[in-house]
Amino acid sequence: MKACDPSLHQQVLRLIQARDWHAAAQACGLLNAQHPDLAAGWIAAGQIALALGRLGSACEAAAAAQRSAAADPVLWDAIGTLYSRGNDQQRALAAYDQALALAPGNAQFLFNRAAVRRFLGALAQAEADYDRVIALKPADYEAYKNRSDLRTQTPERNHIAELESLVARGSPDWRAAVQLHYALAKEYEDLGDYRQSFSRLQRGARIRREHLRYDIATDVATVDWIIQAFPAAKAEAAQHACADAPGAAAPIFIVGLPRSGSTLVDRILSSHSMVSSAGELKAFALAIVDAVRLQSGRSQMSRRELVAASASLDFAALARDYLERARSAGASGVRFTDKMPLNYLYCGLIRRALPNARIVHVSRSPMAACYAMYKTLFEDAYPFSYDLAELAQHYLAYRRLMEHWQLTMPGAIFSLSYEALIADQLGQTRRLLDFCGLEWQEACAQFHQNPLATTTASAVQVRRPIYDSSVSQWRHYEAQLADLSRELIGGGIRVD
């Protein structure tokens, strides 16, 4: 085997660090062609593919690295990460198992395997892995939070004493405090101690918000700019309705706010034999940005300028770019779901670019939706969710935009209430399938048996049949949420 040129490998790594992805892809292609047995080269190729949104290519790179990983646990862990981020959780699990067979006491490998086990619904095994992570690395505070989320805690089995002890001990890292407060909020809520639960949640959310750079006014203004740019989406969509030929790709966009039931709806639809789930894709937003930059010849512009320019794009080209990105990210077949909640911002563009697409808007009662977002510790998205006043402003803007889409595109968006789905699962599922042009299949009613991995915050809940315990959960906190309620009512929202 030809000896590896270390300078070429270092060049690839430098380009990755500089986030020059296309140059990195070219250099890495040369590296892999010259040294096909260098596992590190294929790991780099997989990382580049992920950065470019090419999940299938990332998994292919992982498979190539796997052939040369031999007995190196670090390589097997990296391979597992490529598979997991490429949405092949079964192969990710096998790779992490191999890493742990070689290094059974590695806390990071255990943490990674626990995440994949959670995605796959192996919740008891995930909890066992998190227990081992905490025993090996007591300062891994994210492991405590993730463990608390895996099941409903009980008076006999909970971690409150351990978590309270850690909080009392203090930590120099604000991130640790956030994780611990959210874990305690979850466990106190499970035990019915709502006063303590909200107190912990409020502390955790306040700390998280203090470390975010975010301006709610920009998000609210963005809705106004969209409404201005798309005042008559209905009429303009009709002009483009011939853009798709019969049989063309007809994705199903599931839109709305996070924690409003979109994952549940995605599981129902992807249980149908004609539908695959592509998960939460960033593809449509990225396609819009690139199309505007290409058309304008400008790489930098304000959000307002970007929104205004998006109304005059080449919509057929936008559709082709979106579909190519979606396929690269793992979407398969003519019918697939894209459950990125924030695609609600782009309903007018979706309607113009992909007239054959279906748009399903999943909503939840206002207070339940806002509380569900407030109590969720998101990774990087939804910065408005950590302050109740900002949450109210964002919710009002969201409702204003959805009302605009319904007014200007009547019949184009199927509105599905989470509460209605809980109350009448079969009836609402039939209506949903009907709107999407799908025949009834019993598997859609048994969505909780769907073996597909779920990587969202709802990964635990969707493994259960329909349940209604979360519908009125927010009412335990009516006093603490009184200001939120007043803000919504003042904005014309009914909160009952």
Side-chain angles (χ1 to χ4, degrees), residues 16 21 40 64 105 133 137 152-153 179-180 185 244 269 276 302 310 324 345 369 385 413 423 425 429 444 465 470 477:
I16 289 175
W21 302 115
V133 170
K137 191 179 177 184
T152 301
Q153 307 298 315
Q179 297 284 353
L180 293 173
D244 275 357
L269 287 169
S276 65
S302 70
S310 71
E324 182 180 345
L345 295 167
S385 66
I413 301 173
Q425 178 190 355
T429 298
C444 296
S470 64
Y477 310 98

Side-chain angles (χ1 to χ4, degrees), residues 40-67:
W42 291 110
I43 296 295
Q47 293 168 341
I48 295 164
L50 289 172
L52 294 171
R54 300 167 184 166
L55 305 194
S57 297
C59 289
E60 291 171 5
Q66 186 172 327
R67 291 192 287 270

Side-chain angles (χ1 to χ4, degrees), residues 62-63 65-81 83 89-106 108-110 112-114 116-117 129 132:
Q66 186 172 327
R67 291 192 287 270
S68 306
D72 187 334
V74 174
L75 284 176
W76 279 106
D77 178 70
I79 290 165
T81 299
Y83 278 134
Q89 306 302 337
Q90 289 289 356
R91 286 205 283 181
L93 179 60
Y96 288 138
D97 282 344
Q98 185 64 33
L100 283 162
L102 295 166
N106 188 293
Q108 186 60 52
F109 301 169
L110 283 163
N112 292 341
R113 186 173 70 177
V116 168
R117 283 177 159 175
D129 275 349
R132 289 184 63 199

Side-chain angles (χ1 to χ4, degrees), residues 189 194 259 364-372 375 418-420 422-423 467-481 495-496:
E189 182 172 84
Y194 303 115
R259 311 300 293 140
R364 195 170 180 179
S365 66
M367 293 297 290
C370 289
Y371 171 64
K375 75 171 185 175
Y418 174 77
E419 287 80 9
I422 297 301
Y467 61 95
D468 63 3
S469 59
S470 64
V471 169
S472 58
Q473 187 81 303
W474 70 272
R475 292 192 179 277
H476 296 296
Y477 310 98
E478 286 191 78
Q480 295 95 327
L481 298 173
V495 299
D496 292 338

Side-chain angles (χ1 to χ4, degrees), residues 10 12 24-25 50 91 121 146 237 244 272 300 303 404 415-416:
Q10 289 302 315
V12 171
L50 289 172
R91 286 205 283 181
N146 292 353
D244 275 357
H272 197 284
Q300 298 293 328
R303 189 186 295 188
H404 172 74
S415 296
L416 179 59

Side-chain angles (χ1 to χ4, degrees), residues 1-18:
M1 182 178 71
K2 184 179 178 182
C4 176
D5 178 358
S7 64
L8 182 55
H9 187 210
Q10 289 302 315
Q11 179 189 2
V12 171
L13 297 180
R14 283 195 298 271
L15 289 168
I16 289 175
Q17 187 172 15

